[in-house]
Amino acid sequence: MGYAELSLATLDRVDEARRPRIDPRLLRPRIVHVGLGAFHRAHQALYTEEAAARSGEPWGIAAVAPRSAATVEAMRAQDCLYTVTDRAPGALRPRVAGAIVEALLMRGDGARLRDLLRSEEVPVVTLTVTEKAYHRRADVVGRLAGGLAGRYRHGGAPISVVSCDNMAGNGRALATVVRDFVAASPWPDRERLLDWMAASVAFPDTVVDRIVPATTPGDQWEVSAALGLRDAVPVLGEPYRQWVLEDRFAATRPPWELGGAVFVADVTPYQLRKLRLLNGVHSAMAYLGSAAGCRTVAEVLETGWGERFVRAYGAEVAATLPGPAPEAAVYVDRLVERFRNPELRHLLRQIGSDGSAKIPERWFHPLRALRSAPMLELSLAAWVNATGPDGLRFGMTDPQAQALAGCHRGAAGPGEVVARLLRLTGAPDLAERADLTAAVAAHLPALRAGRVDV
């Protein structure tokens, strides 16, 4: 690729309208973000850049990669600049984002991370992690707990820790695992540390929404060609984005509302709607579409059953949501429009991976709440179909892949397989419902034949 590399030195070659909203050299690392992935760079980083530009305050981000040294090296080589592109029909128009001012590796740059977490200049930590990271022994939780302990022992300035993921009650869940980690630690001051955390550390709940598929080498080439500079770490996402935050912070924060974020007293209605409708139907489409030979979300919408399924699923699950049904119906209309975008290229195998961690949050409560749930039963059958005695199908991955395969071996029949999988994923009550396991098992022959009956 014969282009000069994107960096501060080459930024003046970019059209002014496509440069960062604020000069990155004016920013300071006032936010520590854990999770240097595509979603953060296409979502929270943009809200932060807009907040800094509109307020004139130097809200820069020190972004920490838990594992990916390659991403850190690529970001550093570009002075932490990268492009964000809205995937929509028409020519690509990438723009350069500049809110990230440091790229760190969690283990390799541990001393710098400790210094940042202790600093009064850093009143906010944000995290983009996945459902499987909410475990007391997870490396991220341990590092965060250790960082908060260091902050307490070096002045104890208040701080807010903001989860940016799809888990219901994400702030409260993170607070619980961090406090559990501290309580189980050998630290002699752990009780005083817990008291300080109760008074000086806030864990607000949030809802994040933007579809950001994994970037491909082809995307990288297209973006670099459109920009005229080589970008090794571009991100591409749908034009839509939303961020809803519980208005409960322990210290000063960026004025993210200037970038379009919404602050509310209770995020629960927004959270449940997004989790059960968008995330829930996304998972269902991944497994159903894969069974039918589709590769992307847009391809599912091109089938004869795709839109019909999304609308039927939405109508079914909307009954479990707080708030008026017409609002849910409008939300589903918007989902159909978003899913139909052919430029997004959101791979079903990406969405369907880690299903054992995702679907309990997305499907199990509605299954318990509804007397009749044919769309959820079909969805569950499609997930069962994506597992097998020899491993996961359709190129998907899962942290419990071996245990999932074990549920198939030696089972008396498909109903028993369904029950075993439900028990493995934390739903023994659903596993005991013979009507549910039988209904799910009844869909399997058609799905194995590549047919989706809605």
Side-chain angles (χ1 to χ4, degrees):
M1 195 178 297
Y3 300 108
E5 190 171 68
L6 173 64
S7 68
L8 289 172
T10 59
L11 189 56
D12 60 357
R13 302 188 194 182
V14 178
D15 291 344
E16 189 170 350
R18 292 203 252 169
R19 296 177 195 170
R21 304 287 191 247
I22 188 170
D23 187 339
R25 288 162 287 208
L26 301 176
L27 304 179
R28 302 197 308 272
R30 302 207 61 211
I31 302 169
V32 169
H33 178 80
V34 180
L36 185 52
F39 183 79
H40 167 68
R41 290 183 284 126
H43 193 270
Q44 300 94 38
L46 301 187
Y47 285 95
T48 301
E49 182 182 300
E50 196 69 31
R54 290 176 177 265
S55 68
E57 300 169 2
W59 290 102
I61 301 169
V64 184
R67 288 172 298 277
S68 180
T71 302
V72 171
E73 291 169 6
M75 288 287 288
R76 288 174 175 172
Q78 297 182 180
D79 298 321
C80 293
L81 300 176
Y82 63 95
T83 57
V84 181
T85 304
D86 288 348
R87 269 288 191 193
L92 294 184
R93 290 191 56 80
R95 80 166 185 85
V96 180
I100 297 176
V101 295
E102 285 190 52
L104 305 172
L105 192 61
M106 182 172 284
R107 294 188 178 180
D109 298 300
R112 175 57 177 161
L113 178 57
R114 284 193 297 272
D115 288 345
L116 286 167
L117 291 175
R118 291 172 181 176
S119 173
E120 292 186 6
E121 287 291 299
V122 176
V124 177
V125 174
T126 57
L127 300 93
T128 304
V129 295
T130 61
E131 289 89 339
K132 62 185 176 183
Y134 282 84
H135 191 285
R136 187 163 58 84
R137 290 190 295 274
D139 192 31
V140 170
V141 172
R143 294 278 175 166
L144 178 57
L148 292 176
R151 189 178 186 91
Y152 163 67
R153 294 164 191 154
H154 289 78
I159 191 169
S160 303
V161 182
V162 185
S163 299
C164 304
D165 55 60
N166 291 324
M167 190 168 189
N170 49 18
R172 285 167 286 156
L174 183 60
T176 296
V177 295
V178 171
R179 288 169 183 150
D180 286 351
F181 186 98
V182 171
S185 75
W187 299 331
D189 60 350
R190 61 183 178 274
E191 293 300 329
R192 295 189 299 276
L193 173 56
L194 288 168
D195 290 342
W196 171 78
M197 287 175 60
S200 301
V201 184
F203 292 85
D205 289 338
T206 72
V207 181
V208 295
D209 193 357
R210 187 178 193 184
I211 298 171
V212 184
T215 303
T216 68
D219 292 334
Q220 183 183 337
W221 187 91
E222 287 186 78
V223 167
S224 297
L227 187 70
L229 294 170
R230 184 171 69 84
D231 180 6
V233 283
V235 291
L236 301 91
E238 65 171 333
Y240 177 89
R241 62 183 165 95
Q242 184 186 53
W243 196 9
V244 183
L245 302 96
E246 181 185 8
D247 196 3
R248 184 171 58 86
F249 284 73
T252 185
R253 61 163 178 81
W256 283 313
E257 60 271 28
L258 297 180
V262 178
F263 288 84
V264 297
D266 181 11
V267 305
T268 302
Y270 300 88
Q271 203 164 55
L272 292 179
R273 185 178 65 181
K274 195 247 179 175
L275 185 69
R276 295 183 188 171
L277 292 181
L278 170 58
N279 300 128
V281 81
H282 238 177
S283 289
M285 293 167 72
Y287 304 121
L288 290 167
S290 295
C294 301
R295 294 173 302 163
T296 68
V297 169
E299 287 181 14
V300 172
L301 266 292
E302 291 173 0
T303 67
W305 56 268
E307 180 176 346
R308 188 164 69 251
F309 172 78
V310 172
R311 293 190 181 281
Y313 181 103
E316 182 173 289
V317 173
T320 72
L321 298 173
E327 186 174 308
V330 171
Y331 187 82
V332 172
D333 287 341
R334 185 64 184 271
L335 287 183
V336 170
E337 177 186 337
R338 293 167 65 185
F339 293 161
R340 205 184 291 281
N341 182 351
E343 299 299 321
L344 206 52
R345 304 173 195 166
H346 202 178
L347 295 176
L348 300 182
R349 59 177 171 78
Q350 177 191 359
I351 300 167
S353 289
D354 300 339
S356 67
K358 293 175 180 176
I359 65 171
E361 281 282 324
R362 302 176 182 188
W363 296 349
F364 288 176
H365 180 89
L367 275 169
R368 293 181 177 111
L370 295 169
R371 287 183 176 273
S372 175
M375 295 301 101
L376 283 164
E377 291 164 0
L378 175 61
S379 303
L380 188 57
W383 174 66
V384 172
N385 181 60
T387 68
D390 299 319
L392 272 74
R393 303 174 63 197
F394 312 124
M396 297 174 187
T397 61
D398 195 287
Q400 296 205 75
Q402 291 186 351
L404 294 169
C407 291
H408 288 261
R409 298 179 191 133
E416 185 177 341
V417 172
V418 175
R420 288 180 177 184
L421 288 167
L422 287 168
R423 290 190 191 97
L424 178 66
T425 49
D429 57 322
L430 295 177
E432 295 302 315
R433 284 178 45 186
D435 60 329
L436 173 62
T437 58
V440 171
H443 288 292
L444 290 173
L447 291 169
R448 287 171 181 154
R451 192 174 72 250
V452 178
D453 297 325
V454 179

